Amino acid sequence: MHITNFEEVKASFAFTEPIQIRFSDIDGYLHVNNGIYFNYFEHARAMYLYKACNWDIMTIGTVVANVNIDYKRPIHFGDQVEAFVRCVKVGNSSFVLEQVIGGTTLQGEQVIFATAHTTMVAVDMKTMKPVPVPEDYVSKLKNATA
């Protein structure tokens, strides 16, 4: 799906997680450093798997195979930010999450700050080898989509 505006995001994503901007996230250009976006996306993914999918990471874990981020606008201290997550594809041992960081700027404008697609791989926590995504998680991933 090609996301065009923040209203579309709010209407089409069932899962959202607030993001707190810390003073230490701000760089010399007075906006959130681009590397911090990875932390925001990571936190949102973890909360999605925990809250929306009830994923037990102690048995079957997940590792990131690929992350692609598109930066749209800078985040500034004081902006109200939230992350949105949904599953867009489930394979044998992997699944793809679509993620959006959006919110309201200090000026009151609702915007998309960044988007990402993240490929996750299910792994056995004892061997750290890829395993098929358990069927109960497949159904939860598909049901938590939108």
Side-chain angles (χ1 to χ4, degrees):
M1 175 184 196
H2 181 68
I3 299 166
T4 57
N5 64 57
F6 190 55
E7 288 301 320
E8 183 181 346
V9 171
K10 292 191 296 186
S12 61
F13 282 72
F15 182 83
T16 182
E17 181 73 17
I19 300 294
Q20 180 181 7
I21 302 170
R22 300 166 306 209
F23 180 74
S24 61
D25 296 346
I26 307 300
D27 64 16
Y29 296 107
L30 300 180
H31 57 64
V32 172
N33 182 275
N34 68 80
I36 300 297
Y37 286 64
F38 284 90
N39 295 343
Y40 294 167
F41 283 125
E42 177 183 44
H43 176 72
R45 282 193 306 273
M47 292 297 97
Y48 171 78
L49 292 176
Y50 176 72
K51 292 178 178 178
C53 300
N54 198 28
W55 197 292
D56 177 10
I57 63 164
M58 299 313 290
T59 305
I60 302 295
T62 60
V63 294
V64 174
N66 184 276
V67 177
N68 292 299
I69 296 178
D70 288 317
Y71 299 94
K72 306 293 186 186
R73 295 183 58 149
I75 299 172
H76 295 94
F77 194 75
D79 290 343
Q80 298 301 307
V81 180
E82 53 190 321
F84 298 81
V85 184
R86 68 180 170 190
C87 182
V88 292
K89 179 182 176 187
V90 179
N92 180 41
S93 63
S94 67
F95 54 96
V96 178
L97 299 177
E98 181 176 29
Q99 299 183 257
V100 175
I101 295 174
T104 307
T105 67
L106 280 171
Q107 295 76 30
E109 184 181 6
Q110 293 200 320
V111 299
I112 295 172
F113 296 109
T115 60
H117 279 85
T118 306
T119 302
M120 306 291 294
V121 176
V123 295
D124 181 295
M125 290 303 289
K126 292 181 179 135
T127 65
M128 293 307 291
K129 301 279 186 204
V131 296
V133 178
E135 195 55 44
D136 56 331
Y137 294 140
V138 170
S139 64
K140 290 175 184 176
L141 286 166
K142 289 180 178 177
N143 289 335
T145 299

